Amino acid sequence: MADILLTAVINKSIEIAANLLVQEGTRLYWLEEDIDWLQREMRHIRSYVDNAKAKKVGGDSSVNNLLKDIQQLAGDVEDLLDEFLPKIQQSNKFICCLKTVSFADEFAMEIEKIKRRVADIDRVRTTYNITDTSNNDDDCIPLDRRRLFLHADETEVIGLEDDFNTLKAKLLDQDLPYGVVSIVGMPGLGKTTLAKKLYGHVRHQFECSGLVYVSQQPRAGEILIDIAKQVGLTEKERKENMENNLRSLLKIKRYVILLDDIWDVEIWDDLKLVLPECDSKIGSRIIITSRNSNVGRYIGGDFSIHVLQPLDSENSFELFTKKIFTFDNNNNWANASPDLVNIGRSIVGRCGGIPLAIVVTAGMLRARERTERAWNRVLESMGHKIQDGCGKVLGLSYNDLPIALRPCFLYFGLYPEDHEIRAFDLTNMWIAEKLIVVNSGNRREAESLAEDVLNDLVSRNLIQVAKMTYDGRISSCRIHDLLHSLCVDLAKESNFFHTEHNAFGVPGNVSRVRRITFYSDNNAMNEFFRLNPKPTKLRALFCFTKDNCIFFQMAHLNFKLLQVLVVVTPYDCFFSIPNTFGNMSCLHYLRFEGGIIGKLPNCMVKLKRLETLDIGNSLTELPTGVWKTTQLRHVRYKGFSQASNCCFSIIHVFPNVYSNNLQTLMWMNDEFFEPRLLHRLINLRKLGIRGVSDSTVKILSALSPVPKALEVLKLYFFVVPSEQIKLSSYPNIVTLHLNGRMRLNSEAFPPNLVKLTLFQFEVDGHLVTVLKKLPKLRILKMVWCKHMEEKMDLSGDGDSFPQLEFLHIREPFMLSEVTCRDDVSIPKLKKLLLKDGTSNVRLSERLAKLRI
C-alpha cells in the first residue's frame, strides 16, 4: 500500500516545483534539481511497488518486507515535504532573509539522507535477489473460482425476478439499440447469476450461443477461441484463420453471447473487431456484466444499462433461509425459536442486501450449532467475518482503480457507516490534502478533476449517489457497509488512516498515525492523545462523537501538519469552543456541526492556508480577523450574532481579501452588504444575505455591472420590503432561494433560473401566473407557504411551466387542491412531492400519477 504515500509525495513535489519556478535568482532556485530527482525517483518506485504486489499476494515475505521499507520511506518523505512547503511559500515574501537560506540548506541535507535510504533499499533488493516482481509464465493460468461458477449449473435467482423480467423483455425487443444488454452494479449483487439465468432462458431462441468469463486480465485470443468452440467452429476452422471464420459464421447466424465480468473498454475494442455488429435484421444479442457502468455505456449505450440494486429485507431473508437450510428436508424455521429467527433477521440486516454477503454468512452459520449463543457470536463479529469472506471479490474493484483514485476512495471510510456525505466536502478535502493536484495549480481545474474522480467512483459502482443537483451533478453520496469495511481494512494496512478501534494495535504505531476517525462515544479519543501527546504526523482528524474532549485537545496540542478537521456532535448536546487552539498552521479545511457554541478564537487569523471554513450547521461564530486568512474560498456560517458579522466591515477587512479566491459566502448580515463587496469578490459563486432590507433590494436591483460568476443567491427577509426586487439582469443565477413575504413580478427572477425555493411566502394567483412563465425553471419548491387561494391551478395556455420537472410542496397552509386541467401544461413534469401536512390536499388525476 506504499503506492498511496508515493502518490502523495509525487503530488506535493509537483506543487513545490511550481513554487520554485518563481524563485529564480534566489538561493531556493537550485533546490529544483533535488525536487525533480525526488519526483522522478518516487514515480519509478511506485511502478516497482505496483508490480511487486502480485508477488506479495503470492506469499513472498521478502517482497512484503521490502514494501514495508518503501512505505516507511514514502511516509517520511511526505512528512519532509509537508514541513518544507509552507516555508517555501512563505519565502516568496521574504526572499533574502538568512532564515530562508537556513531551511533550504536543511532541506538539501534531508534530501541527501533520502537518497542514501533509496540506495540502501536497492542494495537489499539486489543482495537478497528480490528482483522478479512479475509473473512471466504466459502458459500458467491460475484457477479462477468465477470462471468455474460461470459454467456451474446453479442459476437460482431470489429477489431478482423483476430484474429478470425487465431484462428478458429488453433482450428480445427487436428494436434494442446495438443489440446489447449491460447488467452493472457493485460487487456481490448477483450480476453473473442473473446473467446466467437470462442467457439460459433465451439461448434456445438463437441459432448459436456462448458464454465466456472475461476477467480483470483478459486475453482476447483465448476468449475468441472459447466463443468459437461454443458457437460451432470446427477444430480446423479454429486453427486456420480463426478470426475470419468466426466473424463469417456470426454474420449469418443469429447468436447470443454472454461476456461476464468486463472491466475495461480495451478488451471490447479487441473483441468487436471479430464479433460483427448485432444486426437488427438478424437479431443477434450480447449480454455483458460489469462493475463499471461506463463500460456498459461504451459497449451498448445508455439504453443498455440495467443497474442492479441490493435486495430488500424480505428477499434477503428468503435467500438467507434458502442457504441456511440447504441440506435440510424442511426448508423453513418451524423448529427454530422466535429468538433465533430474530437473530437471523438481525444478521441478514447487517449484510445490507448484498447476496454475496448473505451467502457467505449463511455458510459460516451452517458450520456452527443452530443455537442463539452461537449465532449471537457471529452477529457480534459480523463486520470482519463478512469482510474476510467477501474480501477477495471486493478487493478486485479496489485493485482495478488507478493509483491516484485509491486514496480518494479510502477517504469514504473516515465517515461512519451509512453516513450521507456531501460532494462539496469530499472534493474540498481531497484538494486540501493534495490527493487531487493539477500541474497548472488552477483551483477550478482541481475542482473539476475532483468531480471527475467522484463520478468515476460512482460509475465503478463503488459509491452510491444519494442526491443529485438540478443539473445532474452529484450533491451527496453514500458507501455500502461492505465497501466501507474494505476502506477501513485497506487504510489500516497502508497507514492511510486508522479508526478508534485499530489505532492501538502495535506499540509505536500511534505516533505514526496520519489520519484518524472517532465514530463512537467511548474514551478512545482521550486514550489516543494520551499515547500520542505530540500528534505531529496527523493530517486529518474526524470526530463524530458526544465526547467533547476534542476541544480540550485542540487547545493544548501541536497539530502542525493537520490539514482537515471535522467535528460533528449531536444538536441536543452543547460544547464550548476553547479560547485558543494549538498549532494548526497547515489547516486547509475546518467543519463544525452540531451543538458547538462560541466564537472561534482569534488565533484562527493565523491560519494562512485555510480554504474552507464550514460552521453553518453549528452555533459557532466567526472571529473578527478571519478575512486575514487570504486563501479562503468557502465560508459557511449562520451569521446570527453581531459578533460574527462585525468581521464584514468592508473598509477594514475586505481590502485584505484576495478577490480571486472567495467563491462561497453563506450567510452575511444585511447591514454589512455594499456594492463594493460584489465588485471586489469577482469569483463569488454562492451568496446568502440574512435580514435583507430595502437598501439591499435597491442595490441588487440596480447593480451594474452584475457579478458574472454568481450562480446561487439566497435572500432571507425578516420584514416585508417596500421595494420590488429585480433580478432579471443576472443572467448566470440559476438557483434562487427566497425566504419571507413580498410581492413578486416577472422582473424579480433571473432569465435563466432553473431552481427556485420559496419559503414562508404568500402564494396567490398572481404569483402562480408569474411562475408559469419562467422559461427554464425545472425545480420549484414551496415550503411553509400560505396559499391565499385554496385551489392552485397549474394549467395555462399551452406555455405553463414549459420546463418544470419537479414540484415540491411542503407544509402548505390553507391549500386544499392542486390541479392541472389539460395535458399540454407542465409537459415535462416527472415528480410531484407533497410532504408534511399535505394529507388532505387533493390532486387532479394527471398529477396524482406523478406523486412520489
Side-chain angles (χ1 to χ4, degrees):
M1 295 293 179
D3 50 356
I4 292 176
L5 286 169
L6 291 164
T7 300
V9 169
I10 292 168
N11 288 345
K12 290 170 184 181
S13 63
I14 289 172
E15 182 167 359
I16 289 178
N19 276 272
L20 288 174
L21 289 177
V22 302
Q23 297 286 356
E24 188 169 3
T26 74
R27 286 292 303 271
L28 293 180
Y29 185 62
W30 49 268
L31 289 179
E32 186 176 351
E33 184 177 337
D34 282 338
I35 295 296
D36 287 344
W37 172 85
L38 188 65
Q39 191 180 145
R40 289 196 313 274
E41 199 71 18
M42 294 301 119
R43 290 186 190 276
H44 289 311
I45 294 176
R46 188 174 67 178
S47 297
Y48 173 80
V49 167
D50 209 32
N51 291 330
K53 281 182 181 178
K55 202 169 185 181
K56 175 188 172 185
V57 172
D60 192 319
S61 60
S62 59
V63 172
N64 196 20
N65 290 331
L66 189 69
L67 291 178
K68 288 182 179 178
D69 290 342
I70 292 174
Q71 180 169 306
Q72 187 167 344
L73 169 68
D76 291 341
V77 174
E78 187 188 20
D79 292 343
L80 174 64
L81 295 183
D82 279 341
E83 291 194 29
F84 176 68
L85 181 57
K87 294 178 180 179
I88 191 172
Q89 290 173 334
Q90 189 68 14
S91 70
N92 288 337
K93 302 176 182 178
F94 308 105
I95 293 178
C96 298
C97 68
L98 293 175
K99 189 175 182 181
T100 298
V101 174
S102 175
F103 85 72
D105 290 340
E106 180 183 352
F107 179 78
M109 288 188 289
E110 292 297 327
I111 289 293
E112 290 303 316
K113 293 179 184 178
I114 297 298
K115 290 180 178 179
R116 290 195 291 272
R117 288 177 66 182
V118 170
D120 190 57
I121 288 175
D122 187 55
R123 178 193 63 77
V124 170
R125 184 179 64 84
T126 55
T127 300
Y128 299 102
N129 196 31
I130 313 173
T131 55
D132 183 12
T133 61
S134 59
N135 185 359
N136 293 318
D137 188 358
D138 291 334
D139 296 327
C140 179
I141 302 176
L143 180 66
D144 193 317
R145 293 177 63 87
R146 286 185 57 89
R147 194 184 304 272
L148 296 177
F149 174 73
L150 186 65
H151 295 281
D153 291 334
E154 182 181 3
T155 57
E156 184 178 49
V157 174
I158 293 178
L160 302 177
E161 291 80 7
D162 289 343
D163 297 276
F164 172 80
N165 291 331
T166 299
L167 286 166
K168 179 184 173 184
K170 180 183 287 190
L171 188 73
L172 299 179
D173 184 352
Q174 292 183 351
D175 298 323
L176 176 66
Y178 306 105
V180 177
V181 166
S182 306
I183 306 173
V184 301
M186 68 172 283
L189 285 177
K191 298 183 294 294
T192 298
T193 300
L194 180 60
K196 283 173 58 183
K197 180 172 182 178
L198 179 64
Y199 170 83
H201 195 82
V202 302
R203 60 178 298 192
H204 68 278
Q205 301 182 39
F206 294 82
E207 296 178 87
C208 58
S209 60
L211 75 165
V212 291
Y213 173 56
V214 179
S215 85
Q216 207 166 4
Q217 297 176 325
R219 302 180 182 184
E222 293 177 0
I223 293 172
L224 291 172
I225 290 174
D226 198 355
I227 293 173
K229 289 179 180 178
Q230 295 183 58
V231 299
L233 280 188
T234 65
E235 183 176 355
K236 180 179 180 181
E237 290 173 325
R238 296 197 302 270
K239 286 183 177 180
E240 298 177 4
N241 205 8
M242 187 267 294
E243 288 85 357
N244 285 339
N245 291 334
L246 178 58
R247 185 174 180 82
S248 298
L249 175 69
L250 295 180
K251 273 188 173 183
I252 59 174
K253 286 199 172 186
R254 187 168 181 260
Y255 66 84
V256 60
I257 293 175
L258 167 57
L259 302 174
D260 181 50
D261 202 28
I262 299 186
W263 285 81
D264 54 50
V265 300
E266 285 78 9
I267 183 63
W268 172 251
D269 286 338
D270 292 337
L271 295 177
K272 73 178 183 181
L273 296 175
V274 177
L275 300 179
E277 292 185 7
C278 296
D279 192 325
S280 59
K281 294 180 180 179
I282 298 178
S284 294
R285 294 290 183 262
I286 291 176
I287 307 168
I288 74 161
T289 70
S290 179
R291 303 183 185 195
N292 192 330
S293 299
N294 283 342
V295 171
R297 196 169 286 114
Y298 180 86
I299 296 174
D302 284 324
F303 187 76
S304 75
I305 299 293
H306 183 88
V307 182
L308 213 53
Q309 301 293 340
L311 301 179
D312 61 28
S313 58
E314 288 307 312
N315 283 312
S316 295
F317 193 67
E318 182 184 345
L319 176 61
F320 178 72
T321 300
K322 181 78 174 177
K323 296 302 178 182
I324 282 291
F325 297 105
T326 296
F327 304 109
D328 293 27
N329 292 328
N330 295 319
N331 189 16
N332 57 55
W333 297 88
N335 298 322
S337 69
D339 287 341
L340 188 67
V341 175
N342 290 334
I343 296 170
R345 288 193 178 277
S346 296
I347 288 173
V348 172
R350 293 290 301 275
C351 293
I354 304 300
L356 175 63
I358 295 169
V359 171
V360 168
T361 306
M364 289 190 296
L365 291 173
R366 283 203 306 270
R368 288 166 170 77
E369 294 180 79
R370 203 170 292 170
T371 64
E372 296 166 27
R373 182 175 178 273
W375 281 27
N376 264 322
R377 291 182 63 184
V378 171
L379 178 61
E380 291 168 0
S381 59
M382 281 274 306
H384 292 295
K385 290 187 179 297
I386 294 180
Q387 183 61 35
D388 291 343
C390 304
K392 289 184 178 180
V393 175
L394 301 176
L396 290 174
S397 289
Y398 176 79
N399 292 331
D400 187 60
L401 286 173
I403 291 176
L405 266 65
R406 293 175 187 175
C408 297
F409 171 67
L410 294 184
Y411 223 88
F412 285 86
L414 285 162
Y415 286 87
E417 289 184 351
D418 299 319
H419 196 85
E420 185 173 333
I421 309 168
R422 295 184 306 179
F424 169 87
D425 295 329
L426 285 168
T427 55
N428 283 288
M429 287 188 288
W430 290 344
I431 294 171
E433 289 219 54
K434 296 179 176 58
L435 305 181
I436 300 290
V437 172
V438 292
N439 290 333
S440 66
N442 183 285
R443 175 71 181 209
R444 293 294 290 267
E445 286 185 26
E447 291 172 353
S448 178
L449 178 58
E451 189 174 337
D452 290 343
V453 167
L454 185 56
N455 286 327
D456 196 350
L457 293 174
V458 169
S459 294
R460 293 171 182 269
N461 290 289
L462 292 172
I463 303 302
Q464 304 161 346
V465 175
K467 294 177 183 175
M468 303 287 286
T469 64
Y470 71 89
D471 56 353
R473 297 162 63 187
I474 299 170
S475 176
S476 62
C477 51
R478 285 191 175 92
I479 183 170
H480 192 277
D481 290 354
L482 274 180
L483 291 168
H484 183 275
S485 298
L486 178 69
C487 288
V488 171
D489 290 346
L490 293 174
K492 178 188 176 183
E493 180 184 343
S494 63
N495 195 31
F496 183 73
F497 75 78
H498 291 75
T499 71
E500 60 193 30
H501 303 298
N502 64 27
F504 307 100
V506 181
N509 270 7
V510 173
S511 62
R512 298 189 66 84
V513 170
R514 310 178 90 75
R515 297 167 190 86
I516 190 164
T517 182
F518 299 96
Y519 299 148
S520 59
D521 304 322
N522 55 27
N523 63 354
M525 197 183 309
N526 275 320
E527 181 66 8
F528 174 78
F529 288 114
R530 185 186 68 80
L531 295 174
N532 189 18
K534 295 182 179 180
T536 54
K537 294 185 183 297
L538 205 60
R539 266 71 173 185
L541 176 58
F542 285 66
C543 303
F544 301 86
T545 178
K546 292 180 180 178
D547 189 346
N548 65 351
C549 79
I550 178 59
F551 295 107
F552 175 81
Q553 309 295 352
M554 286 166 52
H556 296 88
L557 298 182
N558 181 4
F559 297 92
K560 68 174 185 178
L561 294 183
L562 191 69
Q563 294 162 351
V564 172
L565 174 61
V566 176
V567 182
V568 179
T569 70
Y571 285 92
D572 57 354
C573 299
F574 299 103
F575 306 100
S576 297
I577 296 175
N579 294 325
T580 185
F581 286 173
N583 178 16
M584 295 186 184
S585 57
C586 287
L587 194 65
H588 287 72
Y589 181 98
L590 172 64
R591 179 179 166 223
F592 287 169
E593 180 180 332
I596 303 172
I597 300 175
K599 182 179 177 181
L600 289 174
N602 282 327
C603 63
M604 288 288 297
V605 304
K606 298 179 181 179
L607 303 182
K608 305 295 185 183
R609 293 165 187 85
L610 190 63
E611 296 175 348
T612 301
L613 176 57
D614 187 354
I615 54 177
N617 291 325
S618 72
L619 302 175
T620 310
E621 302 170 9
L622 290 174
T624 54
V626 67
W627 300 112
K628 293 182 181 178
T629 56
T630 54
Q631 295 300 313
L632 269 176
R633 286 170 168 81
H634 304 285
V635 178
R636 295 172 181 260
Y637 80 113
K638 286 190 181 300
F640 279 134
S641 69
Q642 183 67 20
S644 284
N645 281 291
C646 66
C647 63
F648 282 107
S649 173
I650 198 159
I651 296 175
H652 300 292
V653 177
F654 278 105
N656 296 320
V657 180
Y658 282 19
S659 59
N660 61 334
N661 287 336
L662 199 64
Q663 300 174 19
T664 303
L665 183 53
M666 295 281 177
W667 296 70
M668 71 175 298
N669 196 295
D670 171 82
E671 64 184 283
F672 298 101
F673 180 75
E674 296 185 25
R676 283 181 291 172
L677 173 65
L678 295 182
H679 290 155
R680 179 173 291 277
L681 302 177
I682 59 174
N683 284 322
L684 193 65
R685 294 154 64 183
K686 299 179 181 180
L687 172 65
I689 306 174
R690 191 182 300 276
V692 179
S693 65
D694 284 344
S695 173
T696 295
V697 170
K698 287 181 179 179
I699 291 172
L700 291 172
S701 299
L703 191 65
S704 181
V706 297
K708 295 181 179 180
L710 193 62
E711 299 172 355
V712 177
L713 180 62
K714 298 186 178 184
L715 303 177
Y716 197 134
F717 295 84
F718 293 154
V719 297
V720 179
S722 60
E723 296 289 332
Q724 181 75 249
I725 192 167
K726 299 177 181 179
L727 300 174
S728 56
S729 60
Y730 291 75
N732 294 320
I733 291 181
V734 291
T735 298
L736 180 63
H737 181 113
L738 300 176
N739 187 326
R741 299 177 182 178
M742 72 178 72
R743 185 80 171 167
L744 299 174
N745 59 27
S746 59
E747 290 186 317
F749 300 104
N752 296 311
L753 187 64
V754 173
K755 179 180 179 181
L756 173 63
T757 300
L758 300 178
F759 196 90
Q760 294 182 328
F761 255 71
E762 289 188 351
V763 179
D764 57 15
H766 168 76
L767 177 58
V768 173
T769 299
V770 171
L771 298 179
K772 290 178 181 180
K773 304 300 181 182
L774 296 179
K776 298 185 179 180
L777 187 67
R778 291 164 54 187
I779 300 172
L780 174 60
K781 295 185 178 182
M782 298 179 178
V783 183
W784 289 2
C785 290
K786 180 180 180 181
H787 291 260
M788 310 308 292
E789 301 170 3
E790 291 187 4
K791 181 178 180 180
M792 185 166 67
D793 188 357
L794 306 181
S795 308
D797 298 324
D799 58 350
S800 177
F801 296 109
Q803 299 296 328
L804 190 68
E805 298 175 1
F806 180 70
L807 175 60
H808 179 184
I809 301 173
R810 180 177 180 181
E811 294 200 47
F813 182 57
M814 297 175 61
L815 179 66
S816 62
E817 184 177 359
V818 183
T819 184
C820 182
R821 294 176 286 100
D822 57 61
D823 295 328
V824 294
S825 299
I826 45 175
K828 296 187 178 181
L829 189 65
K830 299 175 181 176
K831 297 178 182 179
L832 172 60
L833 175 62
L834 300 183
K835 189 175 182 182
D836 301 336
T838 59
S839 57
N840 295 323
V841 176
R842 299 187 304 276
L843 298 175
S844 61
E845 182 179 358
R846 179 185 168 205
L847 296 180
K849 294 178 180 179
L850 299 172
R851 184 172 183 174
I852 57 175

